[in-house]
């Protein structure tokens, strides 16, 4: 069975909560690596220079095997680690979270801080569009120009029903349609293409790759 890969998010977002007069502004952003995450953190610090704390958590790597967090002056273990735990529970990777806090004059205590930072991240992620990651195989279907329109429609319908993704189409002597197909769909694609073309079309399978898949 193929291992389920951690998901990521489609786009940056912000979300704010207020807890006992303290403001907690969460910035969540997709990133490519640790250096990219550090750039996001630096930009948030610069934009909100007047805040007391910028606590952070990040998970990177296709398997989510790299992680970092920081309490940024909050009591040890009350901010960064709880934020990171939210990311781990949701099985996410390639993203960074910054929770910027403006102190409201009332101390929250260790338990209150853990709840505030965890809630701020959880509510922000509830608003994010998730992007699944899957290991798929590249398949190319070469079609004469005269049949390209019809086969394009066939393939667009096929990927919707077989957890596949339609890639680029290139045109030369004919049309070459690129698909990204799960291992369980190889035989099905061969069979369905043969049925749609009276046996004249066959996919050519190539390399495997981790592909981002947005839910329709």
């Amino acid at each position: 069975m193929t291992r389920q890969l951690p998901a990521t998010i489609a786009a940056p977002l912000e979300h704010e909560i207020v807890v006992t007069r303290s403001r907690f502004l969460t910035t969540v952003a997709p990133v490519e690596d640790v250096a990219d995450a550090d750039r996001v953190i630096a930009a948030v610090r610069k934009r909100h220079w007047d805040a007391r704390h910028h606590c952070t958590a990040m998970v990177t790597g296709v398997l989510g095997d790299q992680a970092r967090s920081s309490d940024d002056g909050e009591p040890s273990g009350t901010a960064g680690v709880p934020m990171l735990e939210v990311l781990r529970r949701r099985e996410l990777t390639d993203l960074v979270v910054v929770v910027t806090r403006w102190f409201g004059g009332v101390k929250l205590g260790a338990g209150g801080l853990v709840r505030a930072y965890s809630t701020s991240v959880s509510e922000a992620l509830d608003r994010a569009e998730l992007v699944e990651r899957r290991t798929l195989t590249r398949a190319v279907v070469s079609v004469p120009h005269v049949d390209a329109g019809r086969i394009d429609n066939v393939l667009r319908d096929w990927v919707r029903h077989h957890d596949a993704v339609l890639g680029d189409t290139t045109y030369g002597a004919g049309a070459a349609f690129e698909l990204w197909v799960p291992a369980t769909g190889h035989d099905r694609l061969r069979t369905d293409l043969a049925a749609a073309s009276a046996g004249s079309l066959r996919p050519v399978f190539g390399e495997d790759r981790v592909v981002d898949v947005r839910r329709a």
Side-chain angles (χ1 to χ4, degrees):
M1 181 179 294
T2 302
R3 176 177 176 177
Q4 181 69 39
L5 298 174
T8 189
I9 63 172
L13 63 93
E14 291 185 342
H15 174 67
E16 183 175 320
I17 65 173
V18 177
V19 180
T20 318
R21 302 210 306 258
S22 280
R23 291 173 56 207
F24 294 83
L25 176 66
T26 299
T27 302
V28 187
V31 296
E32 295 182 358
D33 51 30
V34 172
D36 197 14
D38 286 340
R39 284 190 288 272
V40 172
I41 294 168
V44 172
R45 285 183 175 278
K46 183 177 181 180
R47 187 163 63 250
H48 303 301
W49 57 269
D50 59 331
R52 178 173 291 191
H53 305 283
H54 300 281
C55 303
T56 62
M58 69 177 77
V59 181
T60 56
V62 172
L63 300 179
D65 51 357
Q66 302 170 58
R68 256 174 37 186
S69 65
S70 168
D71 295 313
D72 193 40
E74 294 283 27
S76 179
T78 62
V81 170
M83 292 164 58
L84 184 58
E85 283 302 308
V86 175
L87 304 185
R88 289 298 198 196
R89 284 198 305 272
R90 299 206 182 200
E91 299 183 328
L92 298 173
T93 191
D94 286 341
L95 79 167
V96 62
V97 180
V98 185
V99 179
T100 301
R101 181 192 181 194
W102 289 266
F103 182 54
V106 179
K107 292 185 177 181
L108 302 181
L113 287 171
V114 169
R115 285 190 295 274
Y117 281 101
S118 298
T119 298
S120 189
V121 174
S122 291
E123 290 189 4
L125 291 174
D126 287 343
R127 291 159 172 76
E129 179 189 355
L130 296 185
V131 178
E132 295 179 0
R133 295 267 178 82
R134 299 183 195 152
T135 301
L136 303 177
T137 305
R138 184 174 186 261
V140 176
V141 180
S142 297
V143 182
H145 283 297
V146 67
D147 295 324
R150 183 176 66 84
I151 297 301
D152 181 42
N153 290 333
V154 169
L155 295 177
R156 287 181 185 279
D157 182 67
W158 193 91
V159 298
R160 283 196 297 269
H161 293 90
H162 295 88
D163 291 326
V165 177
L166 197 61
D168 297 329
T169 302
T170 56
Y171 295 93
F177 296 99
E178 178 186 65
L179 295 83
W180 293 93
V181 182
T184 55
H186 293 192
D187 289 342
R188 185 80 235 181
L189 180 59
R190 290 189 187 98
T191 300
D192 290 347
L193 263 180
S197 65
S200 64
L201 298 180
R202 290 180 61 83
V204 176
F205 291 100
E207 75 275 15
D208 289 347
R209 184 182 299 175
V210 175
V211 178
D212 289 351
V213 182
R214 294 195 188 191
R215 283 293 187 184

